[in-house]
Amino acid sequence: MLRSMNSAITALSLHQAYMDVVANNLANVNTTAYKTSRVDFKTQISQLQSVGNAPTAAAATPSLGGRNPLQIGLGVELGAITKVMTQGSLRATGRATDLAVQGNGYFIVDDGSQTRAFTRDGAVDIGQDGKLTQIATGLHLMGWNRNATTGLIDTTGPLAAINVPSSAGNARATTQATMSGNLDSGAAAAATVDMTMAVYDSLGTPHNVTVRFTHGAVGSNVWTPTITGVYANPPYTAAPTVTISTGTLQFNAQGQLTAPLAPTNTFNLNLTLNNGATTPQAIALNVTDVTQLATTSNVSQVSQDGLAPGTLAGLSVVSDTGQVMGTYTNGLTQAIGQIALANFVNPAGLLATGQNLYRPWLNSGDPQIGVPGNGAWGTVSSGNLESSNVDLAQEFTNMITAQRGFQSNSRVITTSDEMLQELVNMKR
């Protein structure tokens, strides 16, 4: 009877642990990226009553079959509490900086001391320090930043907190501009057509340059460009001066440009500035798309590659690749960083440390760092968070199983107690 009570006692404590795990799973049913846990039991040592024997030889007398060993189990013990690392469903949040991993991988977060943690919780935002920060913990999201000099993102370099520049960096001087439109083939001799184009100097100051095209003799198919005005914004005491390279626009009988010659089809403008910007400033004016047809003259600037100073207007993350994109008020959109993911040989071996964080442990393996969507690493989904993978139906079934296991083993104890009581009463 004492042996049965002892076996039942081991089961009582383990079924209580089973219920603890179930309760924790249910408590985290709405926790972002929570991974459910499963309890596995294993038998304890068994007491050997008889070793049994092998069959006797066929020619032996008597000829007997073998007998199995006789063993009485001495209870149950905890085999494992295993994390079930299956994918949780994604839920849309509408926030561009809410991120979820689909497939293998963990976001990497750090407090700046190289004490890194790993998480599937991708709810991040821009912190006051200008870095992408996990909302729940304040830890910085790690990856690679854009090199301000080369404009490239080196994913082979060391990890760093992803920095979101509040401005688009230095202004960019215009080096190329493109114009398009038509010059009327039936225009009178010496007829003029003006086009005003906006360009930027190295300080980001816009300048409006007016180019005038003057028709040659009637039927000559030749137009000569000159500069008629330069207006600085804001105005300066002395406006910058602009010169344009000598040459003419020449067209064939079909109204197509024949000079300046392809493939450049450009006139060169030179700005002499007096506001502290880099001077002189050379600008190539591309006129490839200008025609001379029998219709009203209408020419305009199509594009230019200069930029005014800009501030951050929006942030987005490219789904799948995890590339961080910044949109600025000057119209510039550029990649500013790349999110990194870590993978492990045995993710179930990670140590859960609370706050949706994991750390490498004895049986997890070391983190393998990579780019989302590349090889063994999953993809990043922007505007979504990963839900808990807790299965409510399974957990309520486990709850019943744990309760029934506890109840049945408590009955073993009460029954064994009654048997002991009967044994004690035999002396009366």
Side-chain angles (χ1 to χ4, degrees):
M1 280 76 76
L2 290 175
R3 183 165 53 199
S4 64
M5 293 179 71
N6 288 331
S7 295
I9 289 171
T10 64
L12 287 179
S13 61
L14 288 188
H15 280 87
Q16 179 58 61
Y18 189 3
M19 184 62 78
D20 292 341
V21 172
V22 171
N24 185 61
N25 287 340
L26 291 174
N28 286 281
V29 69
N30 290 316
T31 299
T32 300
Y34 174 77
K35 301 303 178 185
T36 188
S37 294
R38 185 191 73 203
V39 177
D40 296 320
F41 291 167
K42 65 180 180 181
T43 58
Q44 280 204 41
I45 190 170
S46 297
Q47 184 175 1
L48 187 63
Q49 304 291 340
S50 171
V51 297
N53 59 265
T56 59
T61 302
S63 179
L64 301 174
R67 292 184 299 165
N68 295 328
L70 300 180
Q71 292 179 283
I72 298 177
L74 298 179
V76 65
E77 64 180 349
L78 187 62
I81 299 177
T82 305
K83 299 183 189 71
V84 181
M85 310 302 282
T86 56
Q87 175 78 47
S89 61
L90 302 189
R91 69 177 190 273
T93 65
R95 295 182 72 252
T97 55
D98 280 342
L99 310 173
V101 178
Q102 293 192 85
N104 298 326
Y106 295 81
F107 297 113
I108 307 166
V109 291
D110 198 332
D111 61 1
S113 64
Q114 299 295 311
T115 306
R116 289 174 183 164
F118 303 87
T119 181
R120 300 272 295 193
D121 180 358
V124 299
D125 210 341
I126 304 175
Q128 188 178 7
D129 57 1
K131 296 178 173 59
L132 286 184
T133 303
Q134 190 184 34
I135 294 173
T137 62
L139 298 175
H140 291 140
L141 184 66
M142 305 297 286
W144 300 275
N145 288 301
R146 176 180 180 271
N147 186 301
T149 302
T150 65
L152 302 176
I153 300 174
D154 181 10
T155 58
T156 63
L159 295 180
I162 296 178
N163 186 54
V164 180
S166 60
S167 66
N170 294 332
R172 188 168 65 202
T174 301
T175 60
Q176 296 181 356
T178 301
M179 62 174 286
S180 178
N182 182 70
L183 296 170
D184 187 359
S185 61
T192 60
V193 177
D194 289 348
M195 180 202 72
T196 299
M197 54 185 291
V199 297
Y200 293 90
D201 62 27
S202 61
L203 297 176
T205 304
H207 301 277
N208 297 320
V209 179
T210 300
V211 182
R212 172 168 292 174
F213 299 93
T214 304
H215 194 208
V218 175
S220 66
N221 295 343
V222 175
W223 295 77
T224 303
T226 55
I227 304 298
T228 62
V230 182
Y231 311 94
N233 185 12
Y236 293 91
T237 303
T241 57
V242 182
T243 59
I244 190 168
S245 57
T246 303
T248 58
L249 280 78
Q250 299 180 28
F251 300 90
N252 61 21
Q254 287 74 42
Q256 304 303 310
L257 191 71
T258 60
L261 296 176
T264 57
N265 296 133
T266 57
F267 288 98
N268 296 318
L269 284 77
N270 282 284
L271 278 70
T272 303
L273 301 160
N274 54 20
N275 63 342
T278 301
T279 189
Q281 178 180 334
I283 301 174
L285 176 60
N286 189 305
V287 294
T288 302
D289 296 329
V290 178
T291 60
Q292 182 193 249
L293 301 172
T295 186
T296 304
S297 294
N298 183 16
V299 291
S300 61
Q301 179 184 5
V302 176
S303 64
Q304 58 86 37
D305 62 353
L307 284 176
T311 57
L312 184 69
L315 188 72
S316 62
V317 178
V318 179
S319 286
D320 297 338
T321 65
Q323 194 171 68
V324 183
M325 306 294 295
T327 302
Y328 296 86
T329 54
N330 59 3
L332 177 67
T333 298
Q334 66 180 12
I336 58 178
Q338 171 66 58
I339 295 171
L341 290 182
N343 201 6
F344 296 86
V345 174
N346 176 29
L350 293 169
L351 183 68
T353 59
Q355 302 184 87
N356 294 345
L357 301 178
Y358 298 95
R359 297 193 187 276
W361 206 241
L362 303 176
N363 196 39
S364 65
D366 293 328
Q368 301 166 7
I369 311 300
V371 177
N374 185 12
W377 296 272
T379 59
V380 171
S381 179
S382 175
N384 294 276
L385 290 176
E386 184 181 4
S387 299
S388 164
N389 67 350
V390 172
D391 184 337
L392 282 176
Q394 182 62 58
E395 294 306 319
F396 280 118
T397 302
N398 292 343
M399 185 187 301
I400 294 171
T401 303
Q403 191 271 337
R404 290 302 183 189
F406 189 94
Q407 184 181 49
S408 60
N409 280 281
S410 66
R411 294 296 182 268
V412 170
I413 293 175
T414 58
T415 303
S416 296
D417 177 59
E418 290 172 359
M419 293 172 68
L420 282 172
Q421 185 64 39
E422 289 297 325
L423 182 62
V424 171
N425 289 340
M426 286 178 61
K427 74 180 183 62
R428 296 179 181 175

